[in-house]
Amino acid sequence: MNSIINDIEIIKTKTSKINEVDFDNLKFGSVFSDHMLECNFKDGKWQAPKVLPYQPIVLDPSAKIFHYGQSIFEGMKAYKDVDENVWLFRPLDNFKRLNISAKRLAIPELPENYFMDGLKALLEVDQEWIPKKDGSSLYIRPFVFASGNGFHASPADEYKFIICTAPSGAYFAGEVRVLIEEKYSRSANGGVGFAKAGGNYAGQFYPTQLAIDKGYQQVIWTDDNTHEYIEEAGAMNIFIRINDTLITGPTSDRILDGITRKSIIELAKKEGINVEVRKITVSEVVEAAKNGSLKEMFGAGTAAVISPIAGFGYKDADYELPKLDETYASFLKKRITDIQTNKAEDIFGWRYKV
Ligand SMILES: Cc1ncc(COP(=O)(O)O)c(C=O)c1O
């Protein structure tokens, strides 16, 4: 596909905020870089993307995003190595997934060069915002929403594609205890669970708050039909280690095809770990916890990479996971982050130089 990078108009901010940011004490996703990419869909096509100063968006109250929730997003990271090279991790997979989400939400799909060249142009302008400190990265949030107007429940005729970035420290969740969900669902067969649709997350907040009120930090989502199968951990895919086998459920209508998940599967297999991609029941996990064969559970996603689970609750009982000296979680997290940050050879071709 043709590069459009030289045709992207760039309007730089006159008042950079970079000197106000403490790069040694960054939280996750709470300060935003000087610029954003904006690209509008109107008159039946995506118009040329522009890099603009980070700024509020003005919308009509009848914009369809507010009423019908036509909105999708992605999450990715840029890393700077010791030689100041800038790297992304499997960015084309985020682009493809954005278009999978777009199709499901009846949003016009984006051309690859608008996404990739737009992202590169933005990273070039805001390269000083990419943190260098170990564990830190520039979190990247591409999103698309219905900006067209009208109180009729039908797809909008105008959309905005925006990319914003946020220099971020390591995502640290602390000791995570999770509640296996028996009533609520984040997704259903034929639904939009496989898409990164904004509404999926809104639907998670209430059941997650109920779990927090009971003293847990996250919900383990189970299938909507029987609540017998383990599906995802909060907004992450989930891995379960029973003895020395690492198990994760197959992707489906209901489970997001996570880039971290598929990287872990490939990497673990390459490292000689026995990996099974198959359905796993709650009763199998409870049984394994009781007989001592349950060794680890962890969430996998871009923000935290891998987030170990310390214990889980199910039907008024609590189960603790063992505290192991050496875990698959820490081993695989180090292997992946070393690849992402150009500290280790990338035999998979995942790293992408900007
Ligand atoms: C519901 C859900 N599952 C899984 C993931 C993990 O996906 P990835 O590894 O591509 O970040 C995410 C985060 O993007 C998510 O929102």
Side-chain angles (χ1 to χ4, degrees):
M1 198 167 256
N2 294 341
S3 170
I4 57 152
I5 196 134
N6 295 324
D7 302 325
I8 297 179
E9 188 185 348
I10 294 174
I11 302 170
K12 287 195 184 169
T13 182
K14 294 193 177 68
T15 50
S16 173
K17 299 167 297 192
I18 199 158
N19 291 330
E20 294 162 26
V21 177
D22 178 2
F23 277 82
D24 287 327
N25 292 296
L26 289 167
K27 296 199 188 101
F28 192 86
S30 50
V31 290
F32 306 100
S33 317
D34 278 336
H35 297 90
M36 62 192 223
L37 183 89
E38 189 183 81
C39 179
N40 293 310
F41 182 90
K42 63 178 197 186
D43 303 328
K45 68 183 189 70
W46 286 105
Q47 311 292 320
K50 289 181 187 171
V51 173
L52 303 171
Y54 185 88
Q55 60 191 282
I57 303 163
V58 177
L59 291 173
D60 195 274
S62 76
K64 293 198 178 191
I65 170 63
F66 298 132
H67 309 279
Y68 309 117
Q70 247 188 318
S71 119
I72 55 172
F73 67 99
E74 273 301 321
M76 47 206 299
K77 285 175 173 173
Y79 309 87
K80 209 176 246 179
D81 68 19
V82 283
D83 300 318
E84 309 259 319
N85 296 308
V86 176
W87 302 95
L88 295 165
F89 187 69
R90 310 184 79 172
L92 281 167
D93 290 353
N94 292 96
F95 162 70
K96 287 181 195 148
R97 192 170 64 187
L98 188 70
N99 273 348
I100 289 171
S101 302
K103 188 170 181 190
R104 180 62 183 83
L105 274 287
I107 290 173
E109 291 170 48
L110 275 155
E112 182 182 314
N113 51 0
Y114 281 40
F115 182 93
M116 289 304 297
D117 292 343
L119 178 56
K120 284 184 219 166
L122 180 64
L123 291 177
E124 167 81 34
V125 172
D126 276 343
Q127 53 182 290
E128 292 306 316
W129 286 84
I130 307 171
K132 285 172 228 159
K133 198 177 165 194
D134 231 19
S136 300
S137 60
L138 188 75
Y139 184 75
I140 301 168
R141 171 53 58 85
F143 59 106
V144 188
F145 65 91
S147 52
N149 304 332
F151 292 150
H152 33 89
S154 58
D157 56 357
E158 294 188 1
Y159 297 85
K160 277 185 189 293
F161 163 51
I162 292 177
I163 307 180
C164 297
T165 66
S168 296
Y171 189 101
F172 181 64
E175 285 254 294
V176 180
R177 287 197 161 65
V178 296
L179 180 66
I180 299 184
E181 185 57 61
E182 292 171 68
K183 177 178 176 190
Y184 296 98
S185 306
R186 72 171 287 279
S187 57
N189 282 329
V192 297
F194 66 93
K196 273 185 84 76
N200 284 340
Y201 301 82
Q204 294 185 196
F205 294 160
Y206 176 66
T208 304
Q209 189 55 50
L210 295 180
I212 291 170
D213 293 345
K214 288 185 184 162
Y216 302 93
Q217 282 79 46
Q218 260 308 341
V219 168
I220 297 293
W221 301 105
T222 49
D223 70 290
D224 61 303
N225 192 20
T226 64
H227 295 289
E228 280 174 15
Y229 294 94
I230 303 262
E231 303 223 305
E232 295 213 59
M236 288 192 266
N237 295 113
I238 186 163
F239 284 82
I240 294 163
R241 173 180 168 191
I242 296 182
N243 291 318
D244 287 338
T245 299
L246 199 53
I247 308 163
T248 190
T251 54
S252 67
D253 270 9
R254 305 181 305 270
I255 297 182
L256 194 86
D257 186 4
I259 293 161
T260 318
R261 171 188 173 278
K262 64 184 180 190
S263 305
I264 288 173
I265 294 171
E266 269 190 75
L267 190 61
K269 283 184 179 167
K270 191 84 200 161
E271 296 289 348
I273 295 171
N274 188 31
V275 181
E276 290 179 4
V277 177
R278 64 162 170 88
K279 290 181 162 192
I280 178 159
T281 59
V282 180
S283 47
E284 184 179 350
V285 174
V286 169
E287 194 47 41
K290 285 181 180 163
N291 70 25
S293 59
L294 180 66
K295 303 293 183 204
E296 293 179 61
M297 289 170 72
F298 56 85
T302 295
V305 186
I306 287 180
S307 177
I309 293 169
F312 69 90
Y314 182 61
K315 287 199 197 292
D316 298 326
D318 281 311
Y319 302 85
E320 281 294 300
L321 274 95
K323 291 192 172 33
L324 306 176
D325 290 334
E326 287 180 6
T327 61
Y328 285 176
S330 57
F331 171 72
L332 292 168
K333 181 169 180 174
K334 179 158 186 346
R335 290 286 289 114
I336 290 204
T337 49
D338 281 354
I339 292 174
Q340 288 170 329
T341 53
N342 194 26
K343 285 186 194 145
E345 194 195 346
D346 173 18
I347 57 162
F348 305 97
W350 289 336
R351 206 161 48 213
Y352 181 101
K353 194 162 187 220
V354 180

